Amino acid sequence: KNQVEQSPQSLIILEGKNCTLQCNYTVSPFSNLRWYKQDTGRGPVSLTIMTFSENTKSNGRYTATLDADTKQSSLHITASQLSDSASYICVVSPFGNEKLTFGTGTRLTIIP
Amino acid sequence: KAGVTQTPRYLIKTRGQQVTLSCSPISGHRSVSWYQQTPGQGLQFLFEYFSETQRNKGNFPGRFSGRQFSNSRSEMNVSTLELGDSALYLCASSLALLDSHTEAFFGQGTRLTVV
């Protein structure tokens, strides 16, 4: 069964600190892995999209890594800001006619 | 460039009724996908439409259906509503199918409450 697990479920850090969110998946074979940021009450916004052949991709202060051998991905946030407070969702898209598989997300809270 | 528009934003329905939600994708986008988001289950994929054809479907009962029109606008219908259908329903549009590497843009969602 295709699964995507994220950890931690929630995280609280001080403004200006760095943090790393984890995503482990069992989807195979997969086409791409995406990280989304979702603010409360709003739709998700894409941060990165990585294919199975990519190891790292950055979007400003967000850097995603992918290890297709161990089926793990991480999202690293540098110099956190209050606006980074949100849920971060990992999504794996398999090849062919298979449904997308979502992680349950990590709720990140940045405190001043 | 206008984003993805979902209407209505909020909806309250009674058990047993049916509901239709609408999604207008970004101009030029041909793929529209629908998702249900609840606190307990998180985001779950409902279905994806491309060029008026359903291309992919999640694990939801037949009460959940959808369609896509020639202008790529899409509607989702839920019949015989149950309390458990209360959720945020999101749609996303993209240039190509989701198993490509195309970026998907989400709307703000429709908050459905079934009482």
Side-chain angles (χ1 to χ4, degrees):
Chain A
K1 179 183 174 183
N2 290 338
Q3 285 187 311
V4 176
E5 295 183 351
Q6 291 186 244
S7 61
Q9 274 192 324
S10 61
L11 183 62
I12 302 173
I13 63 171
L14 287 172
E15 184 180 10
K17 298 295 186 183
N18 303 335
C19 66
T20 300
L21 314 181
Q22 299 290 341
C23 173
N24 296 337
Y25 60 93
T26 61
V27 178
S28 181
F30 85 99
S31 171
N32 57 76
L33 185 147
R34 304 162 187 252
W35 282 94
Y36 285 95
K37 176 188 177 188
Q38 185 176 24
D39 293 314
T40 302
R42 303 181 73 91
V45 174
S46 178
L47 295 175
T48 63
I49 304 172
M50 287 188 293
T51 68
F52 62 88
S53 61
E54 295 178 291
N55 298 121
T56 185
K57 183 163 280 190
S58 292
N59 178 359
R61 295 180 297 102
Y62 300 99
T63 299
T65 64
L66 174 64
D67 186 334
D69 291 331
T70 61
K71 295 185 171 58
Q72 295 180 325
S73 176
S74 65
L75 180 69
H76 185 75
I77 304 174
T78 303
S80 61
Q81 300 175 358
L82 297 178
S83 59
D84 292 332
S85 293
S87 289
Y88 292 83
I89 303 169
C90 174
V91 185
V92 181
S93 177
F95 276 114
N97 193 26
E98 297 288 334
K99 62 185 180 72
L100 295 176
T101 306
F102 291 83
T104 52
T106 292
R107 178 68 203 175
L108 176 65
T109 303
I110 310 298
I111 56 176
Chain B
K1 180 172 171 180
V4 179
T5 303
Q6 290 188 247
T7 56
R9 288 293 310 278
Y10 302 92
L11 205 50
I12 299 176
K13 289 286 188 178
T14 306
R15 270 183 302 175
Q17 286 187 311
Q18 75 165 19
V19 66
T20 299
L21 312 182
S22 178
C23 175
S24 294
I26 292 171
S27 177
H29 285 195
R30 297 169 65 188
S31 167
V32 174
S33 49
W34 287 90
Y35 308 81
Q36 181 194 68
Q37 187 172 34
T38 59
Q41 298 292 323
L43 264 169
Q44 296 184 87
F45 172 74
L46 280 157
F47 28 66
E48 180 181 17
Y49 286 87
F50 186 87
S51 295
E52 301 179 65
T53 302
Q54 187 180 94
R55 298 302 183 100
N56 206 344
K57 190 177 190 307
N59 297 330
F60 279 81
R63 300 185 297 106
F64 292 81
S65 63
R67 59 178 175 168
Q68 186 179 35
F69 302 95
S70 58
N71 62 359
S72 293
R73 189 178 71 85
S74 177
E75 288 182 347
M76 190 192 94
N77 186 275
V78 188
S79 62
T80 320
L81 284 166
E82 301 176 359
L83 295 179
D85 296 333
S86 294
L88 180 67
Y89 290 88
L90 292 157
C91 83
S93 81
S94 54
L95 282 169
L97 287 170
L98 290 173
D99 66 352
S100 68
H101 312 313
T102 183
E103 187 168 351
F105 296 85
F106 282 82
Q108 300 283 47
T110 294
R111 172 72 63 184
L112 172 66
T113 303
V114 182
V115 297

